[in-house]
Amino acid sequence: MGDEPVVTTAPHEDIALIRLRGAIDEASAPGLARALAEAAASGASRTVADLSDASFADSHALHALLDAQKLHRAAGTTLVLAGPLQTPLCWLFEVTGTAAGFRMTSSLESAMTC
């Protein structure tokens, strides 16, 4: 399957889990945005976006994440980004100065319990 983007969702107890794999860009960011919006509206206590297998993310992906953060706050729930993040994603958050706007963890396990 290579670097083809994949967004999958699954409920886990009271958590909406979204797993990303591959490059998240202009073509795939709308699917990510939909999944995150559905998670915010689901009534789950938190949404965990597992970014550990995402190899690349551009401004479209960042926009989807920022919008999702606003939706989650408005819904009174938490959005957690789980790593470890690959270098291109670290670079995206660092260069844009947006890392501080998200709750981030270094592993999926810690994101599920933080």
Side-chain angles (χ1 to χ4, degrees):
M1 196 173 239
D3 208 33
E4 183 178 333
V6 177
V7 176
T8 58
T9 60
H12 184 281
E13 297 176 7
D14 190 28
I15 299 169
L17 175 60
I18 300 172
R19 294 178 184 259
L20 299 121
R21 184 176 72 226
I24 309 301
D25 56 16
E26 181 179 12
S28 55
L32 170 60
R34 274 191 303 279
L36 289 166
E38 289 170 5
S42 73
S45 65
R46 96 181 60 180
T47 298
V48 174
D50 180 3
L51 303 176
S52 62
D53 289 328
S55 59
F56 173 81
D58 68 7
S59 62
H60 296 92
L62 181 60
H63 184 75
L65 291 169
L66 290 167
D67 284 350
Q69 182 69 296
K70 290 177 191 172
L71 289 173
H72 280 77
R73 285 186 180 145
T77 189
T78 303
L79 173 62
V80 182
L81 307 183
L85 300 180
Q86 295 186 34
T87 301
L89 275 76
C90 291
W91 180 84
L92 177 68
F93 289 114
E94 182 180 320
V95 167
T96 60
T98 55
F102 294 100
R103 178 182 280 182
M104 293 185 172
T105 65
S106 60
S107 71
L108 178 59
E109 293 76 25
S110 61
M112 299 297 273
T113 60
C114 70

